[in-house]
Amino acid sequence: MPSAGSVAADLSTSSLHLAVIIAMVAAGVAVLVWLLRVFTGQRQHDVAAQRRAREQADQPPRPPAAPATRFMEATPPGPGIAPPRRRPAAGHHPAGRRAPGTGQQRAVSPPVRRPLQLVAADLRRLTRELTTVPGGMPMARRRGLLAAYDDVLVEAADLLQVPHRLMDTPETAREFERLRLLGELEAAGLVTG
């Protein structure tokens, strides 16, 4: 046994400390990984997959496949050969949609309008976003904000039955029409600021 204060004793003590530190770091990483899996839902997904695997192992094997119908061959196609296609049902589009002119026609309902309070809230939010546009913002984002702002202005004008020409106005004069329409909406009682 090395005496206290010797190099061998210090080396064994420091290696013991190093082993403890490595074990603590490994345990911490394991706990973090486990917490990440719990919070992202991966742990629940894994538990459900394990449960399904156990249930499938406990179930008896399935009976052989049903005999082939008249639309399908009795033997599966060989490698590199596509399986035969089924005929679409009568009155249906091959992609699964209804073919035009077949079946009952749906009644066309009027478009659902949002409440005026939501439209006003969107108008205030977009006004605030447009007034605080940073200098380096990409032009596509600014155009998108303006398009959304125009859509909400038109929606508010339609709800309040305020006449407008915003969508018919050329891009160069649209800012003036926006200001005019905003003034008319405020005169109609809409709180925009």
Side-chain angles (χ1 to χ4, degrees):
M1 183 99 191
S3 63
S6 70
V7 172
D10 289 341
L11 184 62
S12 67
T13 304
S14 64
S15 60
L16 181 62
H17 285 267
L18 183 63
V20 168
I21 290 171
I22 289 174
M24 287 175 50
V25 167
V29 168
V31 167
L32 284 176
V33 167
W34 183 80
L35 285 174
L36 183 65
R37 289 170 55 95
V38 166
F39 287 127
T40 59
Q42 184 65 35
R43 178 74 183 130
Q44 277 184 319
H45 179 70
D46 291 346
V47 169
Q50 290 171 353
R51 187 180 329 115
R52 282 192 304 270
R54 277 194 309 268
E55 288 171 358
Q56 286 179 353
D58 293 343
Q59 290 179 353
R62 288 185 168 187
T69 63
R70 64 183 182 151
F71 298 115
M72 300 180 72
E73 297 176 2
T75 58
I81 300 173
R85 294 187 55 148
R86 290 181 26 183
R87 286 192 338 228
H92 282 83
H93 190 274
R97 298 182 300 266
R98 285 287 238 181
T102 61
Q104 298 176 355
Q105 298 295 326
R106 294 183 188 173
V108 178
S109 60
V112 178
R113 292 186 169 190
R114 295 189 307 159
L116 186 59
Q117 294 87 354
L118 291 179
V119 174
D122 277 351
L123 190 60
R124 287 189 293 271
R125 178 183 55 84
L126 288 168
T127 302
R128 190 172 49 251
E129 283 186 35
L130 280 170
T131 57
T132 59
V133 170
M137 177 188 259
M139 194 58 166
R141 178 156 166 75
R142 180 168 169 69
R143 285 185 182 142
L145 276 173
L146 281 174
Y149 185 69
D150 289 346
D151 290 344
V152 173
L153 273 176
V154 167
E155 186 177 5
D158 290 342
L159 285 173
L160 293 174
Q161 298 176 349
V162 173
H164 63 86
R165 298 180 308 274
L166 187 61
M167 293 303 170
D168 301 332
T169 308
E171 195 69 35
T172 56
R174 194 169 282 187
E175 187 63 33
F176 295 116
E177 180 63 19
R178 282 186 196 109
L179 291 173
R180 187 198 67 78
L181 184 56
L182 191 60
E184 296 245 351
L185 290 173
E186 286 175 349
L190 187 68
V191 179
T192 60

